[in-house]
């Protein structure tokens, strides 16, 4: 398991060690890092600017004069990965005071060394150059420790033998002397320059007066010439003005005509748009409803037509189904009748002549009934005959013709019926 550590931009987080026993260090500035419990080591180093005040007391210069120099330096740890590693090697685990103490000793050592190579005048007169030299000499050494010198200035330079004050007095006297000489020379040069300026001024004034007279004469001549030109120009301008006025009036009239044309075109456009609008309004209010009504009537007619067609088709289907059913029924009845006749025929063939005769005999009463049906409506029959035996003869004739009629109708010979019946009875 591990823990997440965060660090701000004024500190650097150093994570050493890892889950595989590695001793590699990870540097994090203004972010976060993951550390393993009991394995990773977490340390922090400051990145804030540190202010140092190096001081070298009674250091002998190149001339042997002992002076005291104090300065102010601003330093900080560099954040580049490699240089930050150098700083961590030197200062990791140390407090800010300890880091400042190491850097301060380094700066003071370089300051002492440089003081021994310069004269008091060089140090006193050009402090900026002295401070730049110290910074340039000390920068490589503190850089190898991962430290950057942001600034270094000389705060104060003094001594205990009043060498610098004497040097200042001498310098002050020399400056005062040079100032007095300069004032005298300036006053002398000012007088000479003033006389020269007055002479130059009079020469310039004479030349200026001469030039002024010439200029005045030329001015008058120029005035006359200018007046002539002005009058000519005025006349030309008046003519040009009138001509231009006529041209402008013509342009104005042309513009008015163009405006009228544009207005008429606009009016025509408006009227065309009004016509289009009226046409669209008529289409929307008259044509479209009429088309919609016509479409409605057409759809209704189509619906009625389809309805009648479907009704006719249904009726035809009904008739067809009824016809098919009746045909099937007739076919079935016919098949049944045929089957009945076939079975009767088979039965007739099995029964033989006796059965046929029996059937004929069964049919004779029916035939007689059909034949006698017309006679049923006869109230009485009168047989006219001159002789009494004539009636008997007629009856006998009818009976004699009956077997022939039956044989013609049914194919059964009644003359043989008796014998057949008799034979059947015998058997």
């Amino acid at each position: 398991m591990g823990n997440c550590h965060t660090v701000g931009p004024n500190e650097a987080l150093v994570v050493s060690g890892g889950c595989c026993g590695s001793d590699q260090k990870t540097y994090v500035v203004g972010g976060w890092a993951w550390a393993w419990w009991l394995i990773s080591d977490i340390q922090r180093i400051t990145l804030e600017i540190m202010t140092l005040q190096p001081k070298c007391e009674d250091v002998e210069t190149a001339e042997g004069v002992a002076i005291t120099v104090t300065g102010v330096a601003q330093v900080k740890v560099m954040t580049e990965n490699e240089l930050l590693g150098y700083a961590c090697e030197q200062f990791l685990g140390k407090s800010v005071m300890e880091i400042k103490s190491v850097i301060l000793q380094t700066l003071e050592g370089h300051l002492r060394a440089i003081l021994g190579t310069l004269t008091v005048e060089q140090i006193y007169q050009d402090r900026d150059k002295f401070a730049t030299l110290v910074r340039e000499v000390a920068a490589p050494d503190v850089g190898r420790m991962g430290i950057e010198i942001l600034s270094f200035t000389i705060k104060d330079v003094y001594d205990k033998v009043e060498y610098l004050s004497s040097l200042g007095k001498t310098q002050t006297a020399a400056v005062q002397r040079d100032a007095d000489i300069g004032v005298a020379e300036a006053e002398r040069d000012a007088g000479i320059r003033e006389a020269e300026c007055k002479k130059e001024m009079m020469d310039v004034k004479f030349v200026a007066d001469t030039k002024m007279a010439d200029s005045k004469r030329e001015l008058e001549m120029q005035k006359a010439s200018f007046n002539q030109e002005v009058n000519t120009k005025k006349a030309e301008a008046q003519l040009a003005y009138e001509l231009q006025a006529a041209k402008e009036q013509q342009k104005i009239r042309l513009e008015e005509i163009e405006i009228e044309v544009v207005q008429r075109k606009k009016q025509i456009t408006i009227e065309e748009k009004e016509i289009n609008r009226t046409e669209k309004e008529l289409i929307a209010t008259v044509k479209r409803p009429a088309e919609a009504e016509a479409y409605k009537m057409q759809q209704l007619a189509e619906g009625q037509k389809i309805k009648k067609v479907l009704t006719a088709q249904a009726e035809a289907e009904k008739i067809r189904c009824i016809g098919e059913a009746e045909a099937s029924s007739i076919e079935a009845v016919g098949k049944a009748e045929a089957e009945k006749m076939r079975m009767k025929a088979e039965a007739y063939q099995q029964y033989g002549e006796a059965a046929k005769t029996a059937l004929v005999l069964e049919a004779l009463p029916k035939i007689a009934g059909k034949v006698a049906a017309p006679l049923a409506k006869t109230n009485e029959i009168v047989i006219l005959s001159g002789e009494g035996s004539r009636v008997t003869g007629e009856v006998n004739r009818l009976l004699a013709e009956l077997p022939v009629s039956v044989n013609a109708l049914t194919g059964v010979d009644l003359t043989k019926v008796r014998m057949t019946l008799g034979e059947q009875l015998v058997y």
Side-chain angles (χ1 to χ4, degrees), residues 2 41 46 58 135 156 177 179 206 212 252 255 417 425:
D41 185 19
T46 181
D58 299 331
R135 185 167 61 251
D156 195 9
R177 180 198 60 205
F206 175 74
M212 187 179 297
I252 292 170
E255 292 292 336
V417 171
L425 288 174

Side-chain angles (χ1 to χ4, degrees), residues 38 96 328 417:
L38 305 177
V96 177
S328 299
V417 171

Side-chain angles (χ1 to χ4, degrees), residues 237-262:
Q238 184 66 28
L239 293 174
Y241 172 77
E242 294 176 357
L243 179 60
Q244 189 65 30
K247 290 181 179 180
E248 292 297 329
Q249 188 65 31
Q250 184 178 3
K251 288 182 180 179
I252 292 170
R253 181 53 187 162
L254 291 175
E255 292 292 336
E256 290 177 352
I257 294 172
E258 289 181 359
I259 291 171
E260 292 176 358
V261 171
V262 171

Side-chain angles (χ1 to χ4, degrees), residues 174-198:
V175 170
Q176 185 66 36
R177 180 198 60 205
D178 293 340
D180 293 339
I181 293 173
V183 169
E185 290 178 351
E187 290 178 352
R188 181 198 60 196
D189 294 340
I192 295 171
R193 184 62 181 163
E194 183 179 1
E196 291 177 353
C197 289
K198 285 182 178 179

Side-chain angles (χ1 to χ4, degrees), residues 85-125:
Y86 295 158
C88 291
E89 290 177 2
Q90 300 291 330
F91 305 113
L92 195 62
K94 294 183 179 181
S95 65
V96 177
M97 294 300 298
E98 291 174 337
I99 297 173
K100 292 172 69 174
S101 176
V102 173
I103 301 171
L104 181 61
Q105 292 176 10
T106 303
L107 290 177
E108 287 179 349
H110 286 289
L111 184 58
R112 288 177 181 274
I114 293 172
L115 284 173
T117 61
L118 299 175
T119 64
V120 177
E121 287 79 3
Q122 290 174 333
I123 297 169
Y124 184 79
Q125 293 175 357

Side-chain angles (χ1 to χ4, degrees), residues 355-367:
K356 293 179 181 179
T357 303
L359 291 173
V360 170
L361 292 176
E362 289 178 1
L364 284 176
K366 295 180 181 180
I367 295 171

